[in-house]
Amino acid sequence: MANVTSEENMAYAAVYGSVMVFGLPLNAMSLWILLQRHSLSSSNAVFMVNLALSDLLLVISLPMRVYFFATGNWPLGIYACTFITMLFFNNVRSSTIFITFISVDRLLAVVYPLRSKLLRTPSNAWKATALGWLFVVLVNIPEGKNFYKDLYRCNASTCFSFPNCTVDSTAALYFQCALVVTLLAVNVVSTAMVTWTLHRHLNDSVRLNNKVNVMLIFAMNLIMFIIFFLPLSVVGLLNNVKPALKPTLCLASMNCCLDPLLYYFSLDAFWKKKKEDSDS
């Protein structure tokens, strides 16, 4: 990697290092609280546990990124680089999927509270998350093969610098962009429907006594999509994964530091023992 001590590369190392330092304890603590105090007794908690696991997988892929951008060296070979890169891209896809599951779950809880009772069960939530993980892994297989071919044709030492001698990945880029835009549209529609319902029941303090928290959940979901996920998908497509991919990847990694706020606002009494979480 040319000019490995450049300010740009050191900036990448600093950002990834900061995400690792904050993301690891925040998500580990959030996962512990979700498992110990919310007992996976609601669909919402199940989705959040999987989102926290996804973020932790991202975090464990960051130390070698920090090392690479700080030194310009990749000592672990092609297979390790491919695996760590796929862990990173997996987080982008799994995070968008699980965040969308959380939005739809909140939509059903607010707009269709009675009719959705039988649908919003932990069992169904686990089935949905299993399908989400399976989807991510299946997408990962061809993408990982293409990335491996790139490194093999160029040089394993290039790793996260994305060399110019790449294979055609237009289909994968279109797919990534279409996935993020589609899930963003689901979040926008969910936000609109919940906002309309909350406005209609503005004085209903019994059923909708946490309106501010509910709207914060949807606002945060939209912010994470628009700021962290959408630029990576659109810029990667328009620029053929070249100069703009590294900064948008760096930006996307920051989402794991904000997800713990989502858990706090999504679950009543997040820090306390579970009371009626299954009804939230």
Side-chain angles (χ1 to χ4, degrees):
M1 183 169 59
N3 194 20
V4 295
T5 59
S6 68
E7 292 183 2
E8 180 184 355
N9 292 328
M10 293 306 296
Y12 290 141
V15 172
Y16 284 128
S18 299
V19 171
M20 182 178 62
V21 167
F22 289 103
L24 179 59
L26 284 174
N27 284 284
M29 181 176 63
S30 297
L31 183 60
W32 182 87
I33 293 172
L34 287 167
L35 291 173
Q36 294 295 319
R37 304 193 176 191
H38 294 275
S39 306
L40 299 181
S41 58
S42 72
S43 54
N44 207 23
V46 171
F47 295 139
M48 291 178 190
V49 164
N50 282 273
L51 182 57
L53 286 173
S54 175
D55 288 338
L56 286 174
L57 288 176
L58 169 68
V59 170
I60 66 175
S61 75
L62 296 182
M64 290 311 300
R65 281 184 179 267
V66 175
Y67 177 84
F68 176 79
F69 284 111
T71 67
N73 226 1
W74 181 256
L76 300 182
I78 296 177
Y79 287 108
C81 179
T82 302
F83 177 75
I84 292 174
T85 300
M86 290 306 103
L87 274 183
F88 193 103
F89 281 105
N90 278 351
N91 172 261
V92 174
R93 296 191 184 103
S94 58
S95 290
T96 56
I97 291 170
F98 296 140
I99 287 172
T100 303
F101 283 164
I102 292 170
S103 289
V104 173
D105 181 79
R106 295 296 84 194
L107 164 69
L108 294 174
V110 172
V111 181
Y112 309 105
L114 297 179
R115 282 183 284 176
S116 65
K117 272 286 188 181
L118 295 178
L119 180 63
R120 294 175 51 249
T121 64
S123 175
N124 287 336
W126 280 114
K127 292 175 185 176
T129 54
L131 287 175
W133 283 116
L134 178 61
F135 172 80
V136 167
V137 171
L138 290 177
V139 171
N140 218 24
I141 294 172
E143 185 179 36
K145 287 182 178 179
N146 280 345
F147 189 75
Y148 177 86
K149 290 177 183 177
D150 290 351
L151 293 177
Y152 185 79
R153 291 175 60 204
C154 303
N155 190 329
S157 64
T158 58
C159 199
F160 306 125
S161 63
F162 299 101
N164 290 325
C165 50
T166 56
V167 297
D168 183 15
S169 57
T170 304
L173 291 171
Y174 273 112
F175 175 81
Q176 171 70 22
C177 188
L179 175 67
V180 171
V181 170
T182 300
L183 295 180
L184 173 59
V186 173
N187 279 270
V188 170
V189 171
S190 298
T191 302
M193 293 180 66
V194 169
T195 302
W196 179 73
T197 301
L198 291 177
H199 180 72
R200 287 182 58 199
H201 298 83
L202 194 61
N203 296 320
D204 187 356
S205 59
V206 177
R207 179 63 194 171
L208 301 174
N209 57 348
N210 291 315
K211 299 181 182 69
V212 174
N213 278 10
V214 171
M215 291 314 303
L216 281 173
I217 294 167
F218 285 94
M220 287 181 61
N221 288 350
L222 290 178
I223 288 171
M224 283 191 279
F225 262 90
I226 293 170
I227 294 180
F228 299 120
F229 302 132
L230 192 60
L232 174 61
S233 301
V234 174
V235 169
L237 183 63
L238 297 178
N239 289 275
N240 195 25
V241 298
K242 290 299 179 293
L245 184 56
K246 285 195 289 185
T248 51
L249 276 170
C250 201
L251 179 65
S253 71
M254 299 179 191
N255 84 88
C256 72
C257 294
L258 289 185
D259 284 337
L261 289 177
L262 184 63
Y263 314 143
Y264 178 81
F265 289 117
S266 294
L267 293 174
D268 295 335
F270 179 70
W271 299 100
K272 300 177 182 179
K273 287 289 183 182
K274 175 185 140 339
K275 291 182 180 179
E276 297 179 355
D277 187 43
S278 58
D279 294 328
S280 64

